[in-house]
Amino acid sequence: MSQERETAPVAPTRFSLIFSPFPLLDRWFLLRENGSDVRTECLAGLATFLAMAYIMFVNPEILAAAGMPRDAVFVATCIAAAIGSAVMGLYANYPIALAPGMGLNAYFAYSVVLGQGFSWQAALGAVFLSGCLFLAVSLLRVREWIVDAIPHSLKLAISAGIGLFLAVIGFKNAGLIAANPATLIGLGDLHAPSVLYTAAGLLLIVALEARRIRGGIIIGILAVTVAALLFGHATFAGVFAWPPSLAPTLLQLDIGAALEAGLVTVVLTFFLIELFDATGTLIGVSHRAGLLDQQGRLPRLRRALLADSTAIAAGAALGTSSTTVYIESAAGTAVGGRTGLTAVVVALLFLAALFLSPLAATVPPFATAPALIYVAILMSRGLAEIDWDDLTETAPAVICALSMPLTFSIAHGIAFGFITYAGIKLLAGRWREIPAAVGVVAVVFIAKFAWF
């Protein structure tokens, strides 16, 4: 074992109570040292999987809007989640699962492909390059410099802005909002069945989550789908079948097109979101699980980030948007998951889910809309943590968050946030508070808007 693996957090209160009938698993995942056992880790893996299984249905729905074949994306989603979770569990030994990220898939489909007109193959190339950049940053140990340089207010605003962006997509898929030539956006047809299904699904999901019932999101999606089938508003395609072909998306990424000038900022945007999301989620879940060391740092963080970056590149090669760590991993740590065995169980369950492709095809867009809106609610909480007494922090954050849904572009929101942060600090006479990385990125975005 390497020295890194020997620094795993210890829960001595259970150390003397555990006997593992699986000595190999015990030795590899350090179950005793982490105060866990095989049964607990398996239950934790199941809890995490149920909490994040909705991505199997939502991700193909979103990427299909970009013209990608839905069945192949379903397979790519499951395999990417399995690879990412397995690497995290086996290499970094953390109970944290990975899958294609919410928000990143919306940026991929609605901003890069539909908004900017790039092909989905070129967008996959941009995801792959962002993963390679993430890998290089993790290997060269400059991650801390980049993450620490970005103001806390902008990190919170990016997360909240992506949440608001997802809410708009959810409302649109539900028919709650529609295009209006007079006001740009207006109220949809409230008598449409899709609106009623979405409203009922959202109420159910929130109620289940409030009651701390595991898998509330997936239960809500399936409940709406069953109701739609019973009332004739959805078509049943089956439940089990052999996995569809992955060929339509496998290795279809166009790296050459991704290197074009127009996609440089797209790669940068993917990279920044991936970096902030991965680091923040890793620290947040690990803090809840008591896995941080006495200095509040995460042991083996470099391994965890390497696992994340590897999953991003692998997912792009398979045919899906960026793969990232999932905050839903907290469902597993709440059950008692403390080692990478939890993540490996999640990986195995995603592989088993490959045989559910007909069920994924049965789920209508209005059944996944409540999940989008609920995730948006969770992501918007970051705005509450902004320092509202400092206008030089508040104004850029609000502009960043609001620009994403209003311009239908996550990249534009980030750009406006960085530019306004640097500009306001400069004009307020507080230019010394502008981190070098923020200034550089702001100049890059200004140049993009001026010349491209």
Side-chain angles (χ1 to χ4, degrees):
M1 288 293 182
S2 67
Q3 185 64 32
E4 270 193 313
R5 291 188 61 82
E6 295 175 356
T7 59
V10 177
T13 56
R14 297 186 60 191
F15 179 86
S16 61
L17 302 177
I18 297 168
F19 170 75
S20 173
F22 305 96
L24 179 60
L25 294 178
D26 191 10
R27 288 196 301 270
W28 182 264
F29 295 106
L30 304 176
L31 296 178
R32 294 193 188 189
E33 288 86 339
N34 285 281
S36 188
D37 55 31
V38 173
R39 177 181 178 277
T40 300
E41 296 293 314
C42 289
L43 290 175
L46 177 61
T48 296
F49 175 77
L50 290 176
M52 61 186 292
Y54 66 88
I55 194 63
M56 296 188 301
F57 309 115
V58 178
N59 197 50
E61 186 70 38
I62 291 178
L63 296 190
M68 298 188 68
R70 189 189 307 268
D71 288 345
V73 172
F74 170 81
V75 177
T77 299
C78 292
I79 296 179
I83 292 175
S85 300
V87 174
M88 179 67 76
L90 294 171
Y91 180 62
N93 197 25
Y94 278 120
I96 296 175
L98 294 86
M102 293 294 295
L104 287 162
N105 51 10
Y107 173 60
F108 180 104
Y110 296 101
S111 294
V112 180
V113 178
L114 297 179
Q116 301 182 44
F118 292 104
S119 67
W120 60 263
Q121 292 89 344
L124 284 178
V127 172
F128 181 83
L129 291 177
S130 70
C132 294
L133 183 59
F134 195 173
L135 179 63
V137 165
S138 300
L139 288 173
L140 296 175
R141 299 181 182 275
V142 297
R143 177 201 61 84
E144 291 83 359
W145 178 80
I146 296 177
V147 172
D148 294 342
I150 306 303
H152 185 60
S153 59
L154 286 184
K155 294 177 186 177
L156 296 172
I158 290 172
S159 177
I162 293 174
L164 296 175
F165 187 66
L166 287 175
V168 171
I169 296 172
F171 274 62
K172 175 178 174 292
N173 290 348
L176 281 165
I177 58 175
N180 188 308
T183 61
L184 296 181
I185 190 171
L187 188 65
D189 181 8
L190 296 183
H191 298 91
S194 61
V195 174
L196 301 179
Y197 283 122
T198 298
L202 180 60
L203 293 177
L204 177 60
I205 289 174
V206 174
L208 291 173
E209 293 292 334
R211 289 175 173 269
R212 301 186 183 276
I213 296 176
R214 304 299 179 194
I217 296 179
I218 191 68
I219 292 174
I221 291 175
L222 294 178
V224 171
T225 301
V226 170
L229 288 171
L230 292 176
F231 289 101
H233 296 122
T235 302
F236 182 65
V239 178
F240 298 103
W242 287 104
S245 173
L246 185 61
T249 59
L250 180 64
L251 298 179
Q252 295 301 308
L253 65 168
D254 190 343
I255 298 177
L259 292 172
E260 296 179 1
L263 271 173
V264 171
T265 55
V266 172
V267 174
L268 179 62
T269 300
F270 273 126
F271 166 71
L272 290 175
I273 297 174
E274 290 158 358
L275 186 63
F276 299 151
D277 186 61
T279 306
T281 303
L282 281 168
I283 298 298
V285 174
S286 300
H287 175 71
R288 294 183 189 180
L291 299 177
L292 301 182
D293 61 21
Q294 293 181 349
Q295 288 74 41
R297 296 173 299 187
L298 183 64
R300 308 184 307 282
L301 175 60
R302 183 164 171 263
R303 287 194 174 203
L305 291 174
L306 287 174
D308 198 333
S309 56
T310 300
I312 294 171
L318 291 167
T320 183
S321 53
S322 300
T323 303
T324 187
V325 294
Y326 259 59
I327 191 64
E328 284 84 353
S329 300
T333 59
V335 174
R338 292 296 181 269
T339 75
L341 182 55
T342 294
V344 172
V345 171
V346 174
L348 294 175
L349 290 172
F350 267 111
L351 290 179
L354 283 170
F355 297 91
L356 297 175
S357 59
L359 181 60
T362 300
V363 176
F366 56 76
T368 58
L372 293 175
I373 298 171
Y374 176 70
V375 172
I377 293 170
L378 297 181
M379 296 182 71
S380 300
R381 64 185 296 179
L383 290 175
E385 302 177 29
I386 296 174
D387 182 7
W388 291 92
D389 294 326
D390 187 349
L391 276 175
T392 65
E393 298 287 335
T394 303
V398 173
I399 290 173
C400 176
L402 289 180
S403 296
M404 292 185 190
L406 294 180
T407 64
F408 220 66
S409 170
I410 294 173
H412 288 162
I414 294 175
F416 295 158
F418 276 68
I419 293 171
T420 54
Y421 188 91
I424 290 173
K425 290 286 187 181
L426 183 64
L427 294 176
R430 296 166 59 176
W431 58 270
R432 291 184 179 85
E433 298 178 15
I434 304 175
V438 174
V440 171
V441 173
V443 171
V444 170
F445 279 128
I446 291 174
K448 174 187 180 297
F449 288 132
W451 286 292
F452 297 104

